[in-house]
Amino acid sequence: MNRADGPMGWDGAVNAWHVAGGVYRMGRREWLTTAGWRHAYSDGVRTVIDLRNTPEARRRDSDPLVADSALAGIILVSAPTEEPGHPRFTEISGPYLNDPAYYADNARIFPEKLSGVFRELAAASTRGNVVLHCAAGRDRSGMVAAMVQDLAGHSDQEIAEGYRRAARGINERYRTHGPPHDRERYVEEAELAPVLEQRGDAVVEFVRSLDTRAFLLRHGLSPAELDAVMALCGAGVSR
């Protein structure tokens, strides 16, 4: 099921993709079915890192009922990338992150949040593969996934296409199920393509300007933790 050219085949998963090495990304974990969790486990997933803020982590009536036993052997970790309602950030981005143009602001205002995500990745590396997820699986996941790809040595094109693929993935969900609120909508390809061309380039600009290794070390990740993340991402050690 580890397919580089298509979404992960975990039953119920929305916008689920391989990122690099043992790292995957997806939308809300509550979309997975019991079978989907077992599929993920069979693909080596042992940790799921939730990038959402705590109030977002809840089951909706439309979500499948999942037996507790379905998550046996999988650890759920909360590691938000931002503070909800933070006045400086919401003034820039609006109520939530939905554009790579604001990734650098997220990193500037919440550096400890992002280094915290990578600390969790380092800890998870001893258990097996890891899934990163937010709500749509597009921007918070996209920001962290781009940093993972940077560490893994991916090309500019691979990083840009990772974002575009995920943005198209959640857009397709909106086509079939409708958007969750009025700030999101389904966008036809003729309108979507030029937007994603620009946004994919913006993701590359963000991550190349950031210098992920230096950023993480500067904001508290230890060299040993960075090496653990690098190994998880399928890259060599940082030193």
Side-chain angles (χ1 to χ4, degrees):
M1 292 186 189
N2 185 350
R3 295 162 49 202
D5 60 344
M8 302 307 299
W10 304 331
D11 190 49
V14 174
N15 217 7
W17 306 90
H18 179 236
V19 177
V23 182
Y24 301 84
R25 63 186 289 184
M26 67 180 182
R28 299 174 64 247
R29 69 172 183 266
E30 293 86 1
W31 280 323
L32 266 71
T33 66
T34 294
W37 283 110
R38 292 298 87 198
H39 293 164
Y41 186 89
S42 70
D43 276 344
V45 172
R46 298 297 181 267
T47 308
V48 174
I49 299 178
D50 188 346
L51 305 176
R52 300 174 296 179
N53 296 305
T54 301
E56 299 175 76
R58 58 184 178 82
R59 184 183 174 278
R60 300 170 183 168
D61 290 343
S62 57
D63 294 332
L65 291 170
V66 175
D68 291 342
S69 60
L71 278 74
I74 297 177
I75 295 175
L76 303 179
V77 176
S78 176
T81 58
E82 63 190 40
E83 295 176 13
H86 189 283
R88 276 197 298 152
F89 190 56
T90 55
E91 182 180 0
I92 295 165
S93 69
Y96 63 91
L97 184 66
N98 70 341
D99 190 325
Y102 309 127
Y103 288 5
D105 296 301
N106 197 130
R108 174 175 54 84
I109 296 172
F110 307 116
E112 75 291 346
K113 297 286 189 183
L114 289 182
S115 62
V117 172
F118 282 82
R119 185 165 291 111
E120 295 294 352
L121 280 169
S125 67
T126 63
R127 298 189 288 265
N129 295 343
V130 182
V131 176
L132 300 160
H133 84 87
C134 53
R138 182 187 59 205
D139 284 296
R140 285 172 288 189
S141 297
M143 176 174 57
V144 177
M147 295 171 70
V148 167
Q149 289 181 279
D150 185 35
L151 293 176
H154 287 195
S155 68
D156 289 0
Q157 181 178 356
E158 288 172 316
I159 292 171
E161 285 305 313
Y163 176 84
R164 292 169 185 145
R165 184 172 56 193
R168 283 193 167 91
I170 197 61
N171 189 59
E172 177 62 15
R173 170 77 179 187
Y174 295 160
R175 184 186 69 81
T176 58
H177 290 73
H181 48 71
D182 59 10
R183 290 196 83 229
E184 299 285 348
R185 64 185 178 90
Y186 170 69
V187 182
E188 296 286 350
E189 179 62 21
E191 180 184 354
L192 185 65
V195 172
L196 294 191
E197 185 68 21
Q198 183 274 326
R199 291 189 176 185
D201 291 345
V203 174
V204 174
E205 181 180 356
F206 156 72
V207 80
R208 299 309 190 208
S209 299
L210 185 71
D211 185 349
T212 304
R213 291 174 180 80
F215 173 87
L216 293 172
L217 292 171
R218 190 166 64 249
H219 293 289
L221 203 71
S222 72
E225 287 172 324
L226 180 57
D227 285 347
V229 174
M230 297 283 285
L232 178 66
C233 298
V237 297
S238 61
R239 300 187 300 277

